[in-house]
Amino acid sequence: MFASLLVALADDPSVVLPAPAAPVVGDAGAAVVGFAAAARSRLSMSFAPTWRLASAACHGRMLAPGWPPPVI
């Protein structure tokens, strides 16, 4: 999700994307950091906390399981 938002917001995603990390979780964190940098740049924000931007982008459900539960 954050990688696609990064590509949509950044003029050149390779500029704001941090170096890749070894584990998958590290790559996901790099995508979140890159998204936040692109959002700050696009929205002309001098400072906005990374996790606040990430929470706003996913409506506060970044770590939530799939809700509502599937109906059988």
Side-chain angles (χ1 to χ4, degrees):
M1 173 186 165
F2 290 102
S4 62
L5 289 173
L6 167 63
V7 170
L9 289 174
D11 293 328
D12 183 8
S14 65
V15 173
V16 294
L17 190 64
V24 175
V25 174
D27 287 338
V32 171
V33 170
F35 155 74
R40 282 187 211 101
S41 175
R42 176 65 62 144
L43 301 173
S44 300
M45 300 173 139
S46 60
F47 178 76
T50 299
W51 295 110
R52 185 166 290 180
L53 289 170
S55 180
C58 67
H59 305 285
R61 297 178 63 180
M62 183 186 298
L63 300 176
W67 294 106
V71 178
I72 298 176

